[in-house]
Amino acid sequence: MAAGNRKYIRLLTAILLSGVAYQTFTPLPSAWAQDTSIESFNPKLPEDAKMLLSANELVYNKDAERVIVRGAVQINYGGYQMVAQQVEYSQKTGRIIATGEIELIEPGGNRVYADQMDVTDNFANGFIETMRLETTDLTKLAAVTAERRNGEEMILNQAVYTACTPCATNPDHRSLWHVKAQRIVQNGRTHTVRMENAKFELFGKPIIYLPVLEVPDQTVKRKSGFLFPKFRYTQKLGAGVSIPYYWAISPYMDATVTGTGLTRQGFLLEGEFRQRFENGEHILSMAGISQMNRDGFTSGTVDAEETVRGMVASRAKFEINPRWTFGWDVLVQSDNNFAKTYELSTFDGTTLTNQVYLTGLGKRNYFDARAFYFDIQDADPGSLAENKQPVAQVLDYSYTHPEPVFGGELTANFNLTNVNRNREDEFRISVPGPDIFRYRGLEGTYHRLSADLEWKRNFIVPGGLSLTPIFAARGDAIGTSMNDPNNYTGNYFDDDAATRSMLTAGIDARYPILLTTEYSSHILEPIAQVFTRPDEDYAGALPNEDAQSFVFDATNLFDRDKFSGYDRIEGGTRANLGIRYTGALGNGYSLRAVAGQSFHLGGLNSFATDDLVKVGANSGLETDRSDYVAMVGIDAPSGLTASLSGRLDESNFDLRRADATLGYQGIFWQTAVTYTSIQAQPLYGSASDQDEVQTAAAYKFADYWSVFGSITYDLNSNVVTRNGIGITYDDRDTIFSLVYKEERDTDQSIANDWSIGARISFRTLGDIDVGDTEFDGLN
């Protein structure tokens, strides 16, 4: 039959291939390309599926019962699409032979390429020559020949297995690794890929010989078995090798058991159980060890005193509904340093926070209730720090009325705090003259209920002046059963109960001025605020648990109450004056700046009163005229950013605090330099100046390759306190990282803590970790 009339060929094909012949064009089973279910090996096509066939030439030999279609053959049937140069079907033998640039696209998106395909008409058995397979998760298989057996096994001979995510956008990309095997068996019943007599190659060079390597196919999200080992080394624990075993218990439940051999301390056993629910998840962790060399730890520490050590941790989060969330994160251990010593928890610093919480978020209200238990780490046996285990319960509720009240916005905030400490937390500051004591917590129980109500309304008067009157009322009920602070010379309230209140009337005035040119716009906004209120009740005489941290700068210049928590209230009459600037230039540059000063006009200055934690000392607000605060920043379209903020003494303009940052983020370079200067605050616990320069940079020197590093330099001690360098490769299939880090004390010239970490990860195969590869630098 002559080629050319495709419409006629389609019609004739539909007639000739009716009945049994029609079945010969059943599409390839999707299991050849590792589809998502066992049933895919015997696909149930729609009963009403129609086959569309297009070709340049069709030959039908009725006597030989043979059908041949040639030239740009295209077959579409039941969601399967095949193209080939020629397809031949024999009704006598029941075999289909396709040849020439074969491409099969399955409904799931997998693609099979081959030079020749010879299969039975039910596709249960057959042979493929020069086959290449690309799955939807961008895993690739290639083989010289392939054989299909029993509808559930694909056997590839002289085969290669790899993963190549970048190939989706860059077909010329070559993965750094692949596995060459004498035989690869893909089993659709067990959903595994088994590689026999295999060699793992990296950068084209054989690295390791593997008699057998079996991995789940991409249809399996979880499968029980041993994971890649992990390696680590620390001076106190020695070298360690961890062998994890993963157990897929059910679709919603799994566990990991890890055994770690440590050359200096023995065998550490860890277990983690995970369970998912319809509305959340729960993770239970356990670990234990019998230390064989306590002398490897510093004498007198808890690490050196204990032999049998262990922990149990539980973490959960449940979404009760779209607005409410309930959860907890708790850890119980045999001693207060086990989890940190063996790197079993993810907390930072020296305090582990255990908590249970309930949160709710609405359109105009917010609820948060938490119970805390603080576990102090690095405490020596019998020391005061070992017994400082504060317990706290905190409830916060914020509500904004949905409708205007007298034309303005009404907001209410409530806080309930209960704190119990079994030891006084006293911090001694050595300065010339008598020592200074700060009391970050007193022994005993402290509870407080606070309510704050604020109303404000904005008016725009003729001429563009913006006026916002503000009225606020605050009330506290306080109960204490705490021991009096030792060595405290200030005024301390030692009764069991107290109430205090604060009424505030204020005005916020702003006059924005818009300046425009043909290529830029600028907004200058002078701001003036005045808040009138009585003196703070019991100023500095009550325990201070949640308002201990305080930094006066341009970000809180215009706050009504500048204290960071409820335990202190700003009292007296105060004025805040300043100016804000925002600019946008036509060439893509943007500018921003804030500057101003605060004035104590009358009454008792809360920041000048003595306090158990000296919160207002050296803050810049303890005088009638505050220090000057300012901030300026610029963002350039090239990726360059710069900012400078500082606080200047109100009498002589001496620099009290400064932060300067210069950064750049481009296609290949990313870098940042930060300078921090904090003048000595002896009354607050900092007896000397702190001046530090931090730098970090990363450079992408080739596709997927980057180097990075950081340095922190103490200008006063002339010591590099922290530094690190690393290199990484990441193409999403292969991740390689090598990181070196070290830290020094400011009074030492040699590194007293250094580490080398490495990680290599192969997608679909697993990870190998040696040490810590986390890097504190650019985000």
Side-chain angles (χ1 to χ4, degrees):
M1 181 178 289
N5 193 332
R6 288 179 175 270
K7 182 176 181 182
Y8 176 71
I9 290 175
R10 293 191 186 100
L11 178 61
L12 182 60
T13 301
I15 296 173
L16 294 175
L17 301 182
S18 61
V20 176
Y22 191 85
Q23 298 302 316
T24 64
F25 286 86
T26 301
L28 290 175
S30 59
W32 284 17
Q34 298 179 330
D35 208 337
T36 58
S37 64
I38 295 177
E39 289 76 6
S40 63
F41 288 99
N42 297 287
K44 297 180 180 180
L45 300 175
E47 294 182 0
D48 59 347
K50 304 296 183 182
M51 183 182 71
L52 298 177
L53 182 147
S54 176
N56 294 333
E57 180 181 354
L58 183 147
V59 176
Y60 177 63
N61 189 326
K62 187 174 182 179
D63 295 334
E65 299 183 50
R66 184 181 298 274
V67 180
I68 302 174
V69 288
R70 301 189 184 98
V73 180
Q74 299 181 27
I75 299 174
N76 192 320
Y77 181 50
Y80 291 84
Q81 302 174 57
M82 175 187 280
V83 297
Q85 291 301 312
Q86 177 175 300
V87 176
E88 178 180 339
Y89 170 68
S90 173
Q91 289 180 296
K92 288 183 178 180
T93 62
R95 300 194 72 86
I96 299 172
I97 300 175
T99 58
E101 300 179 3
I102 302 168
E103 179 180 356
L104 173 69
I105 303 176
E106 300 179 349
N110 295 330
R111 295 172 180 263
V112 179
Y113 303 89
D115 287 344
Q116 180 170 324
M117 185 179 297
D118 182 351
V119 295
T120 57
D121 57 3
N122 63 358
F123 290 92
N125 299 280
F127 300 91
I128 304 175
E129 294 184 3
T130 317
M131 190 204 80
R132 181 162 55 91
L133 172 66
E134 295 180 1
T135 68
T136 53
D137 75 337
L138 301 176
T139 300
K140 290 190 172 186
L141 289 162
V144 175
T145 62
E147 181 182 357
R148 176 80 168 143
R149 290 182 182 177
N150 304 321
E152 64 179 21
E153 276 191 345
M154 174 74 79
I155 300 175
L156 294 83
N157 301 304
Q158 302 301 317
V160 178
Y161 172 92
T162 190
C164 188
T165 302
C167 293
T169 56
N170 181 14
D172 296 329
H173 179 80
R174 295 294 178 265
S175 179
L176 291 187
W177 65 270
H178 51 262
V179 180
K180 288 184 177 179
Q182 182 178 346
R183 193 171 81 149
I184 295 180
V185 180
Q186 181 204 348
N187 192 314
R189 179 174 53 84
T190 60
H191 291 280
T192 58
V193 178
R194 179 185 177 91
M195 292 163 255
E196 301 173 354
N197 292 326
K199 292 181 180 179
F200 179 82
E201 295 189 355
L202 187 65
F203 298 105
K205 302 296 182 181
I207 301 298
I208 187 173
Y209 170 74
L210 302 166
V212 176
L213 175 63
E214 186 173 275
V215 297
D217 65 21
Q218 88 281 3
T219 68
V220 178
K221 303 302 180 184
R222 306 177 307 149
K223 184 176 178 63
S224 299
F226 285 99
L227 305 178
F228 268 82
K230 298 182 179 181
F231 306 90
R232 61 175 171 172
Y233 176 82
T234 63
Q235 182 179 1
K236 296 178 180 179
L237 305 181
V241 179
S242 300
I243 307 295
Y245 181 83
Y246 177 77
W247 181 21
I249 303 173
S250 72
Y252 52 86
M253 193 182 306
D254 61 14
T256 303
V257 178
T258 304
T260 302
L262 299 165
T263 58
R264 295 185 179 177
Q265 297 303 332
F267 182 74
L268 173 69
L269 182 64
E270 302 172 64
E272 185 173 272
F273 171 80
R274 297 167 291 271
Q275 184 173 7
R276 284 190 175 274
F277 300 88
E278 183 178 355
N279 63 339
E281 66 174 353
H282 172 234
I283 300 174
L284 178 66
S285 303
M286 294 170 285
I289 190 174
S290 178
Q291 296 183 153
M292 67 180 190
N293 183 19
R294 294 181 301 171
D295 296 336
F297 298 102
T298 303
S299 177
T301 64
V302 66
D303 293 324
E305 295 293 327
E306 301 291 338
T307 299
V308 178
R309 310 175 71 182
M311 55 149 276
V312 177
S314 176
R315 184 170 68 253
K317 182 178 181 180
F318 299 94
E319 293 185 358
I320 302 173
N321 58 41
R323 293 187 176 185
W324 288 91
T325 301
F326 170 71
W328 64 83
D329 188 354
V330 298
L331 182 149
V332 178
Q333 49 189 339
S334 57
D335 56 83
N336 60 2
N337 211 38
F338 171 67
K340 184 175 182 179
T341 299
Y342 286 88
E343 301 176 352
L344 301 176
S345 59
T346 57
F347 67 93
D348 296 322
T350 59
T351 302
L352 176 65
T353 302
N354 299 277
Q355 61 175 314
V356 180
Y357 60 88
L358 173 66
T359 61
L361 180 64
K363 292 182 178 181
R364 287 180 165 267
N365 57 351
Y366 172 75
F367 175 91
D368 186 281
R370 295 175 185 265
F372 297 96
Y373 175 80
F374 301 98
D375 194 359
I376 309 299
Q377 307 295 298
D378 287 333
D380 296 337
S383 68
L384 295 180
E386 183 187 23
N387 297 308
K388 292 176 184 175
Q389 314 295 336
V391 179
Q393 299 85 38
V394 180
L395 185 150
D396 285 289
Y397 178 72
S398 177
Y399 173 80
T400 301
H401 197 277
E403 302 295 333
V405 177
F406 298 109
E409 181 183 74
L410 181 65
T411 302
N413 292 284
F414 302 91
N415 175 268
L416 175 63
T417 296
N418 181 77
V419 178
N420 178 268
R421 294 177 182 269
N422 55 8
R423 288 282 183 175
E424 182 179 85
D425 189 355
E426 177 189 281
F427 179 64
R428 182 190 297 263
I429 307 168
S430 296
V431 294
D435 288 346
I436 298 174
F437 295 87
R438 294 181 66 222
Y439 300 86
R440 294 172 293 194
L442 300 179
E443 181 181 353
T445 301
Y446 166 77
H447 37 268
R448 173 186 40 75
L449 174 63
S450 301
D452 185 275
L453 194 67
E454 181 186 78
W455 177 90
K456 60 183 178 182
R457 180 179 179 182
N458 181 250
F459 297 91
I460 305 298
V461 301
L465 179 64
S466 173
L467 295 176
T468 303
I470 301 172
F471 297 95
R474 161 82 179 271
D476 300 284
I478 301 169
T480 64
S481 56
M482 290 183 160
N483 294 342
D484 293 348
N486 297 318
N487 304 310
Y488 184 58
T489 58
N491 180 28
Y492 177 70
F493 179 82
D494 57 1
D495 288 348
D496 294 337
T499 59
R500 63 182 180 184
S501 62
M502 180 64 67
L503 297 176
T504 302
I507 186 74
D508 181 298
R510 304 174 184 233
Y511 190 72
I513 303 171
L514 175 62
L515 304 174
T516 61
T517 67
E518 186 176 357
Y519 301 106
S520 65
S521 63
H522 310 268
I523 299 176
L524 289 171
E525 187 180 33
I527 303 173
Q529 295 176 327
V530 176
F531 295 105
T532 301
R533 52 206 161 195
D535 294 343
E536 177 187 7
D537 294 334
Y538 310 108
L542 294 170
N544 181 358
E545 293 285 349
D546 70 350
Q548 298 186 8
S549 175
F550 178 69
V551 175
F552 175 52
D553 56 22
T555 62
N556 57 13
L557 171 63
F558 299 109
D559 288 353
R560 172 169 61 89
D561 189 335
K562 297 177 176 57
F563 283 113
S564 59
Y566 286 93
D567 282 335
R568 291 297 307 270
I569 308 176
E570 187 175 344
T573 300
R574 180 172 292 276
N576 303 313
L577 300 178
I579 187 169
R580 177 178 285 124
Y581 164 77
T582 304
L585 307 183
N587 54 7
Y589 285 82
S590 61
L591 308 171
R592 61 193 182 279
V594 177
Q597 190 177 23
S598 183
F599 300 86
H600 179 73
L601 302 181
L604 180 66
N605 186 348
S606 296
F607 299 98
T609 59
D610 200 1
D611 183 279
L612 289 169
V613 294
K614 314 295 182 184
V615 67
N618 307 125
S619 65
L621 286 168
E622 69 275 16
T623 55
D624 289 345
R625 294 174 59 234
S626 78
D627 289 346
Y628 298 95
V629 291
M631 184 276 294
V632 62
I634 181 173
D635 299 308
S638 62
L640 185 69
T641 61
S643 64
L644 173 64
S645 62
R647 196 182 94 221
L648 303 176
D649 188 273
E650 51 89 16
S651 59
N652 55 19
F653 292 97
D654 284 348
L655 185 65
R656 299 300 185 192
R657 186 184 185 99
D659 293 280
T661 300
L662 178 65
Y664 173 77
Q665 186 167 1
I667 298 176
F668 300 104
W669 274 101
Q670 184 181 0
T671 185
V673 179
T674 300
Y675 168 72
T676 301
S677 175
I678 304 175
Q679 194 179 65
Q681 299 173 278
L683 297 179
Y684 193 64
S686 177
S688 60
D689 295 347
Q690 301 177 55
D691 297 277
E692 186 178 80
V693 175
Q694 301 179 47
T695 65
Y699 174 61
K700 181 180 178 182
F701 61 90
D703 288 342
Y704 314 114
W705 285 97
S706 298
V707 293
F708 50 87
S710 69
I711 295 177
T712 301
Y713 183 71
D714 189 303
L715 297 174
N716 298 315
S717 302
N718 294 322
V719 171
V720 175
T721 57
R722 294 186 300 274
N723 66 87
I725 190 171
I727 185 171
T728 184
Y729 174 91
D730 185 357
D731 66 2
R732 291 180 291 174
D733 295 309
T734 307
I735 300 175
F736 168 76
S737 297
L738 182 64
V739 176
Y740 171 80
K741 298 183 292 185
E742 67 178 31
E743 296 184 6
R744 293 181 176 89
D745 291 336
T746 55
D747 58 350
Q748 294 184 3
S749 59
I750 61 173
N752 57 3
D753 188 8
W754 62 270
S755 65
I756 297 178
R759 179 195 179 199
I760 187 165
S761 173
F762 307 109
R763 187 170 70 87
T764 75
L765 296 184
D767 303 341
I768 299 177
D769 295 316
V770 180
D772 180 18
T773 57
E774 294 293 328
F775 188 78
D776 298 328
L778 296 169
N779 294 324

